[in-house]
Amino acid sequence: MKHYDIVVIGGGPAGMTAALYALRADKSVLVLEKEGFGGQIATSPRLENFPTIESISGSEWSDKLFEQITSLGAEFELEDVQEVSKKDKVFVVKSDYNEYEAKTVIIANGVKPRKMGLPNEEELTGKGISYCAVCDGPFYKGKEIYLVGDANTALQYALLLSGYCPKVHMLTLFDRLFGDQILIDRVMETENIDIRHNLSLKSINGKDKLESVDFEDTITHEMVHFDTENLFIAIGQVPQNEFLNDLLKLDKGFIVTNEVMETEIPGLYAAGDTRVKENKQVITACSDGATAAMSAVKYINKNF
């Protein structure tokens, strides 16, 4: 069984930044990622709110960070972590292929946008379908926007998009909105946000890019068709922390930490969108990752 100073679970901005800071502190690091390095930002056409970088594609930004930590000696494996346990002072991380020992573990596996589960959804993600108005909204400036969702994320997206789009069509499954009242009031008061209730998304149409969407009216059962090249889906985010159920107390699936990314278990840290936090952006994920790594390094130096 291979042994590392730090095992990082997740290869997005938080995880790779954690690896960067740990490596610069001369610690051995293994990063485990189950799908592809870069996280959600890797699917964004452009990243324009990261300091010092005017504009860059999400995939290029992720590649640069990956190359940076690889050059410093980070080890990577594409594996799905199944379990994390602690025996005495050492953690055991079990994946679908291997087992590893680590002095500390940083969980930075992020979240996934909740998907509709419709045919064509995966194929057209990034080609008209988006799950992040902060990331992708500015690219549709001057265009009418279609937005599916009825809770806080959707309300926030609608308000954001209304600032640079002539019309935001907010399409909800039920007959009312479910977010914070202050957000609902602001949306209702915004003239260029048009809300249509009782619509269930049934099909996403297009080959190389989004061309149209079809909804069913849940009251009349009539089909409603919209020709559009954009669709924002904001129906929630899903943490991926089921493998921690026997180890940590989770808050609606999210990991609770303090301000230095410590969990309730000494030597175990969490960073990025996987933890309970208010703002979920690339820059805040990187900040979390750096903080978690510095905390982990301090813990190792004190206890080993």
Side-chain angles (χ1 to χ4, degrees), residues 38 40 52 63 67 94 97 106 156 187 192 252 292 294:
Q40 293 184 66
T52 76
D63 288 345
E67 292 168 3
K94 296 181 181 180
Y97 292 109
I106 298 173
Q156 291 168 340
V187 165
N192 63 330
K252 297 179 180 179
M294 288 187 283

Side-chain angles (χ1 to χ4, degrees), residues 91-137:
F91 289 91
V92 176
V93 180
K94 296 181 181 180
S95 76
D96 47 357
Y97 292 109
N98 294 295
E99 291 187 11
Y100 305 97
E101 287 187 343
K103 296 174 183 175
T104 60
V105 173
I106 298 173
I107 304 166
N109 56 345
V111 293
K112 280 190 172 183
R114 193 179 300 277
K115 304 287 182 75
M116 300 296 302
L118 293 172
N120 252 5
E121 185 174 2
E122 294 291 343
E123 291 81 357
L124 295 178
T125 296
K127 301 177 181 177
I129 295 178
S130 176
Y131 303 88
C132 179
V134 177
C135 306
D136 301 332

Side-chain angles (χ1 to χ4, degrees), residues 221-291:
H221 300 293
E222 295 178 347
M223 297 304 295
V224 181
H225 179 85
F226 298 105
D227 290 318
T228 180
E229 295 182 349
N230 63 77
L231 179 69
F232 285 85
I233 298 175
I235 57 173
Q237 293 180 318
V238 183
Q240 307 171 80
N241 293 322
E242 294 84 359
F243 69 99
L244 297 170
N245 284 334
D246 295 331
L247 186 66
L248 290 173
K249 294 178 182 178
L250 303 175
D251 183 355
K252 297 179 180 179
F254 293 91
I255 302 170
V256 178
T257 71
N258 60 17
E259 64 179 8
V260 292
M261 308 304 138
E262 295 172 329
T263 69
E264 62 194 83
I265 297 177
L268 182 64
Y269 306 88
D273 293 359
T274 194
R275 73 183 190 93
V276 176
K277 59 184 297 186
E278 181 69 23
N279 298 310
K280 297 181 178 180
Q281 296 291 304
V282 173
I283 190 67
T284 62
C286 291
S287 174
D288 283 1
T291 301

Side-chain angles (χ1 to χ4, degrees), residues 205-217:
N205 314 309
K207 186 176 181 181
D208 298 320
K209 64 177 182 178
L210 180 66
E211 297 175 359
S212 65
V213 290
D214 292 299
F215 290 78
E216 179 185 2
D217 188 306

